[in-house]
Amino acid sequence: MSAWWTAWQEGFAGFAWPWAWAALPLPLLAHLLLPPRRSSVQALRVPWGARLDGVASADGARLHSAWLLPALAWILLCASAARPQQLGQAETPPREARQMLLAVDLSGSMSETDMELGGQVVDRLTAAKSVIADFLQRRAGDRVGLLVFGQRAYMLTPLTLDRDSVRLQLRDSVAGLAGRETALGDAIGLAVKRLREQPEGQRVLILLTDGVNTAGVLDPLKAAELAKAEGVRVHTIAFGGSGAGFSLFGVPVPIQGGEEVDEATLRQVAEATGGRFFRARDTGQLAGIYSELDRLEPVEVAAAPVRPRIERYPWPLGMALVLVIVAWPLSRIAPRWSRA
């Protein structure tokens, strides 16, 4: 019992409406200031009046004791009206998160097997999936969405705190799913449309591609202007070698005349929107880039833990109702005692 009382005292946060205690003396003031009710019945004089005075004094004591419960009930009602509060368990407020879209190129060139992952030669998309999945693991608290593009741009996953669903959608994506060509401008435009309703300063797009803009209706630089106007920061990553090629004894060999990544345009897009441009020619460089992005777009440090205030007025209110229920029959019985 003592431990419970000590815990209650430590967690007691006071009263939200302490001015409600001003109503406590109202019954007493009403008793003192209001005139007593006068009886219209004439007094009856009897020769044994002294004996009746003794009986009346005993009954008066009973009547005074009958007022004890209503008085306690009134005190509890005043306590309930003052809204007593208790401090709950400490809670950590949610961290201020980024609203981040990941745009991944699924054009045909992402199927080129010129990357190494875990000692094995893999295609570019497989390498990108591995690095992005690790990046998502570190973004606890962010709302992340997945956008893929090829000949057209599509939202696979809207902004969500469920990073596992984003990883699953990314894992199931295949090169050529959105077409064989590359619509950089349309991808940026769709991302801007999805991010424009999010809080300012938190709108981030990370775009990974290994080609040049060969499809779509929106020019990448025009899309960058739209992103700048809407406050969307675009980080661009040029990934892969210099166009298509083949592997000779595990060594990538490019084919002359293959499609090269458009570094100049990607750099201009990033600079126009306040983002950064990165160039990754292998999996290790790509992993380093996403680590750098993790530093550039930090998840804010959580605020100090807070203890919520819990309303406890139902307790005194319930006790007051119980006392009223108990006192009511006693007040009806008291006059009968005086007649007995």
Side-chain angles (χ1 to χ4, degrees):
M1 183 66 179
S2 60
W4 177 87
W5 178 248
T6 302
W8 167 261
Q9 286 182 315
E10 292 178 353
F12 184 63
F15 298 93
W17 296 344
W19 45 265
W21 284 107
L24 185 62
L26 287 181
L28 180 61
L29 293 177
H31 177 73
L32 295 177
L33 300 180
L34 294 180
R37 189 182 67 171
R38 297 182 179 276
S39 176
S40 59
V41 180
Q42 293 184 355
L44 178 65
R45 296 181 177 275
V46 293
W48 54 85
R51 191 181 304 172
L52 289 177
D53 290 341
V55 174
S57 62
D59 291 342
R62 293 193 185 98
L63 291 174
H64 285 305
S65 62
W67 277 100
L68 179 62
L69 294 182
L72 290 176
W74 178 252
I75 294 174
L76 290 172
L77 283 175
C78 291
S80 178
R83 288 178 56 197
Q85 295 179 332
Q86 186 179 14
L87 295 176
Q89 295 295 327
E91 298 179 358
T92 302
R95 292 177 287 190
E96 182 181 352
R98 294 289 192 269
Q99 316 299 316
M100 183 178 295
L101 272 182
L102 304 178
V104 180
D105 188 351
L106 294 185
S107 61
S109 57
M110 288 293 288
S111 62
E112 294 298 327
T113 55
D114 57 356
M115 294 293 153
E116 184 176 340
L117 180 64
Q120 297 182 349
V121 178
V122 297
D123 60 79
R124 297 174 182 176
L125 183 58
T126 300
K129 287 179 180 181
S130 176
V131 174
I132 295 174
D134 181 66
F135 173 75
L136 286 171
Q137 188 68 29
R138 301 192 297 269
R139 302 306 299 184
D142 279 349
R143 296 179 68 231
V144 183
L146 178 62
L147 183 154
V148 298
F149 62 97
Q151 189 172 351
R152 295 184 180 180
Y154 301 94
M155 279 295 302
L156 283 189
T157 308
L159 291 170
T160 177
L161 291 172
D162 186 3
R163 293 168 294 143
D164 289 335
S165 65
V166 178
R167 277 194 292 265
L168 289 175
Q169 290 285 359
L170 179 64
R171 184 195 65 185
D172 295 337
S173 300
V174 294
L177 179 66
R180 307 293 296 181
E181 299 182 78
T182 306
L184 286 176
D186 288 2
I188 298 172
L190 179 58
V192 171
K193 181 179 179 181
R194 296 290 183 172
L195 289 169
R196 63 172 28 144
E197 301 299 329
Q198 303 306 318
E200 294 185 8
Q202 300 180 11
R203 308 166 187 168
V204 179
L205 169 64
I206 300 177
L207 183 144
L208 181 145
T209 183
D210 69 340
V212 298
N213 187 67
T214 57
V217 297
L218 189 59
D219 181 76
L221 297 182
K222 181 64 176 178
E225 294 178 6
L226 296 176
K228 180 180 179 180
E230 295 294 341
V232 177
R233 190 162 53 255
V234 183
H235 300 293
T236 56
I237 303 174
F239 184 45
S242 302
F246 63 94
S247 176
L248 179 61
F249 302 111
V251 179
V253 179
I255 296 177
Q256 295 298 324
E259 184 182 87
E260 295 184 359
V261 64
D262 190 355
E263 296 184 24
T265 298
L266 293 175
R267 188 185 303 275
Q268 293 179 57
V269 169
E271 292 176 352
T273 60
R276 290 276 302 275
F277 166 76
F278 300 94
R279 183 68 168 98
R281 290 181 171 81
D282 55 44
T283 308
Q285 290 181 353
L286 184 62
I289 288 170
Y290 275 97
S291 296
E292 178 69 8
L293 288 171
D294 193 38
R295 185 187 65 82
L296 290 175
E297 300 292 346
V299 178
E300 298 294 334
V301 177
V306 296
R307 300 182 67 181
R309 292 176 178 265
I310 304 174
E311 296 285 351
R312 295 303 188 192
Y313 69 87
W315 292 5
L317 180 60
M319 294 172 64
L321 292 178
V322 171
L323 290 178
V324 169
I325 294 173
V326 173
W328 175 255
L330 292 179
S331 65
R332 306 292 293 179
I333 294 173
R336 299 178 184 176
W337 288 347
S338 61
R339 292 195 298 267

